[in-house]
Amino acid sequence: MAETRARKPRADALKNRALLIDAAKEVLGKGGPNASLEAVAQRAGVGIGTLYRHFPTREDLFHTVFRQEMEELADIADSLRGSPDPLEAIRHWLHSNVAFVETKRGMLGALSIVMTDESKRTYADLSGRVTSAVNDILARGRASGQIRDGITAEDLLQTMYALCYARQPGPDWKSQVLRLLDIFVDGLAPTAQPTNGSNPARA
Amino acid sequence: MAETRARKPRADALKNRALLIDAAKEVLGKGGPNASLEAVAQRAGVGIGTLYRHFPTREDLFHTVFRQEMEELADIADSLRGSPDPLEAIRHWLHSNVAFVETKRGMLGALSIVMTDESKRTYADLSGRVTSAVNDILARGRASGQIRDGITAEDLLQTMYALCYARQPGPDWKSQVLRLLDIFVDGLAPTAQPTNGSNPARA
DNA sequence: CAGTTATACGGAGGATGCCTCCGTTTATCA
DNA sequence: TGATAAACGGAGGCATCCTCCGTATAACTG
């Protein structure tokens, strides 16, 4: 056992870490995922070595920044748990996400890094909150016959981010994304149309 | 007016340009959009200066490579013009696109560059062929009541690329993308479900 | 075919960014 | 008030970007 009593983390380390995260939000949010990390360090007022000590890889920095942003989205999902109309709750939640993304456009590029690889592990807790809340709503939608079987919270997130990501900033960005997203949500209904040619289908 | 009679382009220039495009297909297709351009020049067996003379920016190179790949997709769209079931034709075309994208995974990153900015102008002709064919199919779908109003070819492309792009390579990549895409296609039906909460809906 | 010239070639080199390494500084603890 | 573990900063080696310009050569001309 020995003494596991570690020394308290140094105050300057904590402060610099926070400074770096703030700087990263700004610089990466503006310059996209290829922004210079030296610029981030400079904006934070620390040396480049300090940045790399705290965040050994570019991904580490993205993950940390992104986690902070995501907490808010998890809260929204929670707040919609008891909503009376599940399908509209889903729609509302997705729209909120889009609105949120809208303000962080520059971070979009980072999504391709963040939403991939082993982010499941990195975001297990947050992801759990969101997934649980959304799946809860989906289950109620299935029960009420509004939503087909086999849809997961991940499907929704995936599609939403995909649509946000693919569309370049522009005057009609949001309305276009929402329009396509609504079509997708409409498609969540139980076989709105026979899904594939092989099905005899009702006349 | 003077003499606009220009000199014939030099043979070596044409040859090197072709070599560069081939090399770019390979190197960019493998290494993604951040692959080294010097590696492209090296593989083509030309100097880096030659590469930059032909393609002043990274985007220029992407555009050129991509255009060649896209011709094939335009052909598929054309071939589906006369298909008897418009909605299934749409589905089929989208699936073909996904299959095509699957073989060029490395190019996916380039899409964010290619599909954005002023690509309308760069691809006006190709885009015209695709758009015209797909819109033709869409129109027939509207006429037969299978497809709602207001859907454009661009909507479909946008969504498909978005879904392809957002999902990381993996064993189930294709099936997942196709599943989400099918949901979207189902959503193309005229208000499969009342689009917004205000409608009383049928019991 | 030889001379002229427009055009293209190649790669050196300055600029920038990545990341590592290590001598110096400083916060914590006794 | 020391001792020391922890953190700091930035120099420096390496890679890539892109420009610039002296050299080479294909296309034209007589």
Side-chain angles (χ1 to χ4, degrees), chain B residues 47-105:
Chain B
I48 184 66
T50 299
L51 185 152
Y52 276 99
R53 194 168 334 95
H54 284 289
F55 308 101
T57 73
R58 183 176 284 264
E59 281 73 18
D60 289 330
L61 185 55
F62 283 162
H63 280 297
T64 304
V65 169
F66 206 68
R67 156 173 288 278
Q68 289 203 352
E69 312 273 12
M70 283 228 332
E71 311 253 348
E72 303 182 34
L73 291 178
D75 292 342
I76 295 178
D78 271 337
S79 77
L80 286 170
R81 270 201 137 99
S83 173
D85 182 337
L87 192 63
E88 285 312 308
I90 292 291
R91 203 186 295 276
H92 179 82
W93 178 68
L94 289 174
H95 283 208
S96 299
N97 275 269
V98 173
F100 184 83
V101 165
E102 190 188 19
T103 69
K104 320 269 174 197
R105 189 66 51 68

Side-chain angles (χ1 to χ4, degrees), chain A residues 10 51 58 78 94 148 154 158 162 181 186 199-200:
Chain A
R10 279 176 54 159
L51 185 153
R58 183 176 284 264
D78 272 336
L94 289 174
R148 70 170 72 174
E154 212 176 51
Q158 187 94 58
L181 196 53
D186 287 343
N199 190 320

Side-chain angles (χ1 to χ4, degrees), chain B residues 127-172:
Chain B
S127 177
R129 273 180 65 202
V130 171
T131 301
S132 139
V134 173
N135 279 337
D136 187 54
I137 301 172
L138 284 171
R140 289 197 296 119
R142 272 194 298 277
S144 73
Q146 283 182 294
I147 297 177
R148 70 170 72 173
D149 287 356
I151 307 296
T152 68
E154 212 176 50
D155 293 338
L156 302 180
L157 260 180
Q158 186 94 58
T159 303
M160 187 215 54
Y161 279 127
L163 290 174
C164 286
Y165 193 1
R167 186 125 204 148
Q168 202 70 353
D172 61 346

Side-chain angles (χ1 to χ4, degrees), chain B residues 114-128:
Chain B
V114 166
M115 292 309 285
T116 63
D117 49 26
E118 83 305 342
S119 55
K120 320 280 171 178
R121 253 156 295 163
T122 314
Y123 297 115
D125 54 334
L126 270 184
S127 177

